[in-house]
Amino acid sequence: RDPDEAEFEVVVCLMSGEERMRPLLPRRATVRTLRAVLIDDGEKDADLRFMFRGQEIADPQVLINLDAFTVGSTIHMVREKKKPPPRPVYTRRDSPPICFTGDSLASVLGADGAEVHTPFSKVRVGDLVRTDKGHGKDLHRRVQRVWAHRLARMTRTFELAPGCRITPGHPF
């Protein structure tokens, strides 16, 4: 058997001195390997940190290469309460749109001068849309930009008039 493949024993103790386990590890075992052995043995409720001779040791470090480490050396384990997962951050894309629903109808001025009821989801930049109950040239305005939003979740809507639904944040 290759001596580089031989297993060695390490003693894992809590900082109180209580022995937790004595696993046999492969010669090139890292702190990450030791952590995996302990998690497989039930250490799942806390984040684990490891110390050797008063110094914290990191996951990629090979145990056998630690200064003054010998077979049977003691590694101290510290259990730390797991941090809660981060709170979600809502962006404009995740939050309900502040607009009309896609099935709401807009009055779009056609090429022949007639108004056509068109779903908002079909309105395009350049269309002439009725914006007011006014008169004359202010009755229709050219669409400069379309803000298309997708709902991240079901959102309550309100019907202002037949064929016109808005989301709660739409300004009146």
Side-chain angles (χ1 to χ4, degrees):
R1 188 169 170 160
D2 185 351
D4 284 340
E5 297 301 317
E7 293 180 329
F8 68 96
E9 182 181 69
V10 64
V11 180
V12 180
C13 291
L14 298 173
M15 293 303 281
S16 65
E18 175 189 342
E19 187 175 309
R20 173 59 180 86
M21 74 182 326
R22 289 176 177 258
L24 285 175
L25 299 172
R27 185 142 184 92
R28 303 296 303 162
T30 63
V31 174
R32 185 174 290 120
T33 309
L34 178 60
R35 181 184 316 280
V37 168
L38 285 155
I39 289 171
D40 285 346
D41 193 54
E43 288 286 346
K44 296 176 178 146
D45 297 331
D47 288 328
L48 304 176
R49 289 185 20 223
F50 298 96
M51 313 286 275
F52 179 67
R53 300 186 73 180
Q55 299 293 317
E56 187 167 359
I57 50 178
D59 280 358
Q61 290 182 280
V62 176
L63 297 173
I64 207 81
N65 292 346
L66 295 173
D67 192 34
F69 187 89
T70 59
V71 172
S73 287
T74 299
I75 303 248
H76 286 96
M77 177 179 81
V78 178
R79 294 177 182 132
E80 290 184 340
K81 184 177 179 179
K82 286 192 178 205
K83 294 177 184 168
R87 295 181 67 176
V89 175
Y90 294 99
T91 63
R92 287 186 181 170
R93 187 165 183 94
D94 297 328
S95 59
I98 302 174
C99 206
F100 296 92
T101 62
D103 60 347
S104 290
L105 299 175
S107 293
V108 178
L109 193 62
D112 62 356
E115 284 187 356
V116 179
H117 291 295
T118 306
F120 268 77
S121 61
K122 304 284 187 202
V123 173
R124 302 291 177 247
V125 171
D127 286 348
L128 288 169
V129 177
R130 184 178 187 145
T131 59
D132 193 74
K133 292 182 180 178
H135 302 283
K137 66 179 182 172
D138 293 326
L139 187 59
H140 296 88
R141 295 203 178 167
R142 190 164 307 280
V143 175
Q144 301 294 316
R145 182 174 175 197
V146 175
W147 286 274
H149 299 279
R150 293 192 182 240
L151 293 172
R153 62 186 187 277
M154 293 297 291
T155 300
R156 186 175 179 188
T157 60
F158 302 92
E159 186 172 29
L160 289 180
C164 182
R165 296 194 72 77
I166 61 169
T167 59
H170 185 79
F172 291 96

